[in-house]
Amino acid sequence: MESDSIECITSSNGVVDEDEIQPHHLNPSSHLNIHSQFSSSTKSSNNINIISNNSVNQNGVLIPPSPSVHELLECPVCTNSMYPPIHQCHNGHTLCSTCKVRVHNRCPTCRQELGDIRCLALEKVAESLELPCKYYSLGCPEIFPYYSKLKHESLCNFRPYNCPYAGSECLVVGDIPYLVAHLRDDHKVDMHSGCTFNHRYVKSNPREVENATWMLTVFNCFGHYFCLHFEAFQLGMAPVYMAFLRFMGDEMEARNFSYSLEVGGNGRKLTWEGTPRSIRDSHKKVRDSHDGLIIQRNMALFFSGGDRKELKLRVTGRIWKEQQNQDNGACIPNLCS
């Protein structure tokens, strides 16, 4: 994380508040454990009355229930759902094709050699199943054939979001309200309300740094949250700075908004206008696609003024919502007051 200050002037409802924000240092390893808004939820109560689900034989001996189809389709090694080819050993124990390689062709249950026997019966059973999306508890109402379920879940709009923080390898996932609280409380990011902003990014000895990431800023605008990124990296052989905005929500919703960025000095300026990218796209993916305001380092130092030995780059911008014109279907900007 970059150690120089960011001066932030954020305009909200016509009032300008000026403060200098020091970036916060984080131990990258402090966020390597996966957390989630769902991790604190209690376990299901399916096992509370487990005896009532069992049967008793004539001698009064408790007979455990038979395993469900879902349990039969669970790989005993990785515990994920199995998809063809489903392998089995000579004793009928099954496992997925990925784990077959991991266990060196030995059955993890009986240690017999697996060979190349497929469990065609279980594959047929799986083919006949229809199951709800695993994100049904988060609101997804869809039901899919077993073999289509996995593809849907990788794209499901109800799946949790990854933490958009770019300063460390954070593996936290959750919904938007949870991630906003996580960014504020754990990453200590700059939080602002309003749809216009005026940031001054400062770096001493900028020619000595090829790659750097400044503190993330989060804006609450139009009832949604946006992440402003600023970083330095090499574009080919050229050192550049880049600013871009990401929307905390899905891509379709992100298309309802637009934003502009402007940087300048000494009677010159550069402007950028575009649509914020969803945080479904990683910050690296957005950066590598060059979807933002890119400033060559020499130009950035020219904008900074002085002897060009210190970066003092002022980036201004605004966010607006596109409204559909009822007459001709065209989009017209709705500027935040």
Side-chain angles (χ1 to χ4, degrees), residues 102-114:
R102 292 171 57 190
V103 299
H104 305 291
N105 206 37
R106 288 282 176 183
C107 175
T109 304
C110 65
R111 309 306 301 168
Q112 295 293 317
E113 186 174 350
L114 286 169

Side-chain angles (χ1 to χ4, degrees), residues 85-112:
I86 299 174
H87 296 277
Q88 69 174 24
C89 72
H90 292 281
N91 293 323
H93 303 126
T94 57
L95 79 166
C96 70
S97 56
T98 302
C99 290
K100 180 176 183 286
V101 178
R102 292 171 57 190
V103 299
H104 305 291
N105 206 37
R106 288 282 176 183
C107 175
T109 304
C110 65
R111 309 306 301 168
Q112 295 293 317

